[in-house]
């Protein structure tokens, strides 16, 4: 079995009629089962990279490129977008841009209907997605009757029913209240653990997501400037300049930076207590 | 001064969105409104520029009842930057979008205001571009530019940090400080408590149409039952201070000073 979910190799892309490439010499490998957080300032190339993974580039946007993007063994430029849609699931920032059917259940089935799956298999996949995301009791509800967290879970369920090998989340929590945001992040972690699905999350708030990430990738000006375990990246002040240093890492540094930087308040407090004992 | 006197509001579908709100917001202060999705935060601020009128009670803005004034007149004084830029933007170019409000209010130095707004919000290079072609973060900055251009006395920012990166969040902080220095009243509706914390605003916590806590941000977020009811998670420096029994530090430098002892 292929152990690699994504391989981006010496990849450079320029949009049509632009002078500067949006991505320059990007190299990135993601193993199956990883949770990778992708961060970087506006215009750093994150969106272009995501579009190149889901196949919108080069199939829908014109431009020139060199190098390769390989998703689950398939080279994106040589694979039909309908084939890629089975491999990569995409959850948007605003679930309202994604869910639109009359009921939660029908919404989850929508993607499967487009794949023209047999009815039995559709039923089974919808049921699985409903139970994975704890939506069984809401199956008949209309999307507008749902809370924002439930809407985002419905969007996730619709994407997971397609059984993608990679799940991409583009700022999935920015419209949610803090508690619901943590809940959605917890759900993503659970899905990763139980299904082994590979996850790429784009997020500005590193504080919220670093704790579940196996890797943190930071982009700036079309290039990858850091790509390592979150704690290693938290020690790389230069790369963090582009995204702002997370609060606990910044406090750790301010206090002399001895040992590994903590990813959360709880971790900071427990390290402090051990040290004081 | 903005005053809510026993204000309730009912949506057309019968849902009570605000319940007996009593509130005073003094001129030239910073106020944050936080709380779960659907708590009534946006409904509350839309009463301040008269977009919504109370079902019961009254709202006074600079002493005048909003029911007796037009939205056009009120919005000259009270500018709202909406949560979703797509609900606000409609012109063919960025420049015309900013000029729209300036022309409507008959502001004389409109070209100076336009140049200032384009420059401050990092939008000059998009002057002749359609707003619809901007990224989400850029659209949001354009909404700030449009409203700040006509220089209202009260600024209401609904979820200002959504889609904004670190650099632009810093820019929003400096914009808020700048407004406060100029004597403006600023009200921020936000889920981003980490963004609000260093500014130490007066904070109103809303849940199910009511204000359930009101005070300095540390006080307002001190009660566990308030946090739970309003679906909040405490800002990290406050959580840290509570875990260690310290006086809450407003920023990392202050926290380090206390902890180094």
């Amino acid at each position: 079995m292929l152990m690699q979910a994504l391989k981006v190799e010496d990849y450079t892309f320029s949009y049509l009629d632009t002078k500067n490439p949006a991505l320059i010499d990007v190299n990135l490998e993601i193993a199956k089962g990883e949770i990778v957080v992708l961060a970087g300032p506006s215009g750093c190339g994150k969106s272009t990279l995501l579009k190149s993974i889901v196949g919108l580039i080069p199939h829908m946007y014109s431009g020139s490129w060199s190098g390769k993007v390989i998703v689950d063994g398939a080279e994106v430029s040589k694979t039909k977008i309908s084939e890629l849609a089975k491999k990569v699931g995409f959850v948007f920032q605003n679930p309202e841009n994604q869910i639109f059917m009359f009921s939660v259940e029908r919404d989850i089935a929508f993607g499967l209907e487009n794949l023209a799956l047999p009815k039995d298999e559709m039923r089974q996949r919808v049921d699985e997605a409903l139970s994975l995301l704890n939506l069984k009791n809401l199956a008949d509800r209309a999307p507008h009757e749902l809370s924002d967290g439930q809407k985002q879970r419905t969007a996730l369920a619709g994407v997971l029913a397609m059984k993608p090998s990679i799940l991409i989340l583009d700022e999935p929590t920015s419209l949610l209240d803090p508690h619901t945001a943590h809940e959605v992040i917890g759900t993503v972690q659970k899905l990763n653990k139980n299904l082994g699905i590979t996850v790429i999350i784009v997020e500005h708030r590193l504080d919220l997501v670093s704790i579940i990430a196996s890797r943190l990738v930071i982009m700036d000006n079309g290039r990858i400037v850091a790509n390592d375990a979150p704690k290693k990246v938290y020690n790389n002040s230069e790369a963090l300049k582009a995204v702002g240093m997370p609060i606990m890492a910044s406090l750790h540094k301010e206090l002399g930076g001895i040992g590994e930087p903590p990813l959360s308040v709880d971790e900071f407090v427990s390290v402090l207590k051990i040290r004081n004992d | 001064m903005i005053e809510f006197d026993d204000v309730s509001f009912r949506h057309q579908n019968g849902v009570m969105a605000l319940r007996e709100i009593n509130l005073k917001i003094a001129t030239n202060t910073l106020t944050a409104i936080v709380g779960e999705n659907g708590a009534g935060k946006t409904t509350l601020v839309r009463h301040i520029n008269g977009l919504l009128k109370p079902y019961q009670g009254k709202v006074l803005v600079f002493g005048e009842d909003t029911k007796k004034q037009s939205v056009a007149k009120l919005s000259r004084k009270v500018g709202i930057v909406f949560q979703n830029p797509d609900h606000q933007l409609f012109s063919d170019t960025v420049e015309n979008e900013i000029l729209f409000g300036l022309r409507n209010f008959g502001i004389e130095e409109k070209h100076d205001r336009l140049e200032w707004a384009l420059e401050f919000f990092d939008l000059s290079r998009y002057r002749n571009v359609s707003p619809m072609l901007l990224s989400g973060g850029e659209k949001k900055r354009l909404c700030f530019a449009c409203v700040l251009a006509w220089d209202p006395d009260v600024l209401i920012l609904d979820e200002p940090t959504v889609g904004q990166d670190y650099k632009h969040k810093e820019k929003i902080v400096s914009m808020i400080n700048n407004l406060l220095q100029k004597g403006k009243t600023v009200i921020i509706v936000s889920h981003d408590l980490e963004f609000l914390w260093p500014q130490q605003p007066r904070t109103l916590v809303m849940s199910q149409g009511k204000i359930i806590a009101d005070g300095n941000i540390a006080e307002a977020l001190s009660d566990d039952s308030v946090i739970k009811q309003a679906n909040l998670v405490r800002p990290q420096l406050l959580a840290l201070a509570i875990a260690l029994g310290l006086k809450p530090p407003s920023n990392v430098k202050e926290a380090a000073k206390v902890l180094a002892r």
Side-chain angles (χ1 to χ4, degrees), chain A residues 206-259:
Chain A
L206 298 182
D207 299 304
L208 182 68
V209 288
S210 288
I211 193 157
I212 67 162
S214 58
R215 212 136 42 102
L216 183 53
V217 174
I218 297 182
M219 295 184 66
D220 198 13
N221 291 319
R223 296 175 195 271
I224 290 180
V225 296
N227 174 10
D228 215 329
K231 290 194 174 210
K232 294 259 170 62
V233 179
Y234 276 25
N235 269 330
N236 182 349
S237 313
E238 198 52 42
L240 283 173
K241 266 187 195 156
V243 288
M245 186 169 281
I247 292 166
M248 287 300 117
S250 157
L251 182 55
H252 172 81
K253 188 175 171 226
E254 200 70 33
L255 288 167
I258 304 154

Side-chain angles (χ1 to χ4, degrees), chain B:
Chain B
M1 167 90 100
I2 295 160
E3 218 174 326
F4 279 66
D5 185 8
D6 206 25
V7 171
S8 293
F9 181 78
R10 198 165 73 168
H11 283 299
Q12 277 177 343
N13 62 10
V15 174
M16 289 297 286
L18 296 178
R19 297 160 193 267
E20 293 146 31
I21 301 282
N22 283 292
L23 173 66
K24 282 184 183 151
I25 295 175
T27 301
N28 196 21
T29 55
L30 174 63
T31 305
I33 307 179
V34 303
E36 81 264 10
N37 290 113
K41 307 182 296 290
T42 297
T43 306
L44 187 142
V45 296
R46 286 184 180 189
H47 277 78
I48 303 174
N49 79 339
L51 265 181
L52 297 176
K53 309 272 159 109
Y55 164 76
Q56 182 196 300
K58 55 183 172 185
V59 178
L60 303 173
V61 176
F62 299 114
E64 293 188 70
D65 191 334
T66 58
K67 273 189 185 157
K68 294 173 187 153
Q69 287 190 70
S70 68
V71 180
K73 209 171 149 217
L74 268 169
S75 56
R76 178 71 184 84
K77 289 184 214 157
V78 181
I80 299 191
V81 180
F82 293 102
Q83 181 172 340
N84 186 342
D86 292 332
H87 295 171
Q88 187 160 353
L89 302 173
F90 56 88
S91 298
D92 56 344
T93 64
V94 165
E95 182 173 300
N96 281 333
E97 192 70 60
I98 297 174
L99 283 171
F100 178 80
L102 294 170
R103 284 190 187 118
N104 273 349
F105 291 125
I107 289 163
E108 278 180 21
E109 65 279 26
K110 63 174 181 279
H111 289 288
D112 293 345
R113 299 297 306 167
L114 168 70
E115 293 311 318
W116 170 84
L118 286 171
E119 174 72 20
F120 189 86
F121 290 99
D122 207 2
L123 293 166
S124 301
R125 63 188 178 283
Y126 300 125
R127 176 190 285 272
N128 297 314
V129 169
S130 159
M132 292 306 134
L133 294 178
L134 303 181
S135 76
E138 287 159 354
K139 280 184 189 168
K140 191 87 196 185
R141 297 208 307 277
L142 176 56
C143 293
F144 285 128
C146 291
V147 175
L148 263 68
W150 83 70
D151 203 27
D153 297 322
V154 179
L155 266 302
I156 298 171
L157 314 175
D158 199 348
E159 295 292 353
T161 62
V162 169
Q164 299 299 316
D165 62 17
Y166 170 69
K167 187 180 106 194
H168 289 106
K169 277 193 191 183
E170 300 270 283
K171 213 147 194 189
I172 296 171
V173 173
S174 80
M175 170 187 92
I176 292 167
N177 289 333
N178 197 305
L179 290 167
L180 289 169
Q181 268 165 23
K182 281 164 68 184
K184 309 284 180 186
T185 305
V186 182
I187 300 168
I188 306 175
V189 174
S190 183
H191 288 314
D192 193 346
L193 300 185
E194 296 295 355
F195 167 78
L196 295 172
W197 177 257
Q199 305 174 63
Q200 296 284 303
R202 171 190 179 188
T203 301
L204 309 172
V205 181
M206 290 190 73
S207 179
Q208 296 178 5
K210 287 191 170 170
I211 294 173
I212 60 168
D214 176 4
N216 158 277
I217 187 162
E219 286 162 25
L221 303 178
S222 65
D223 193 340
D224 284 343
S225 64
V226 167
I227 295 289
K228 197 158 181 245
Q229 194 185 334
N231 254 355
L232 300 174
V233 173
R234 288 197 179 98
Q236 293 172 76
L237 290 175
L238 177 59
L240 181 73
I242 290 175
L244 298 174
L246 304 169
K247 181 175 167 279
S250 64
N251 57 50
V252 168
K253 284 225 153 65
E254 220 176 89
K257 237 186 248 166
V258 176
L259 287 168
R261 273 185 223 139

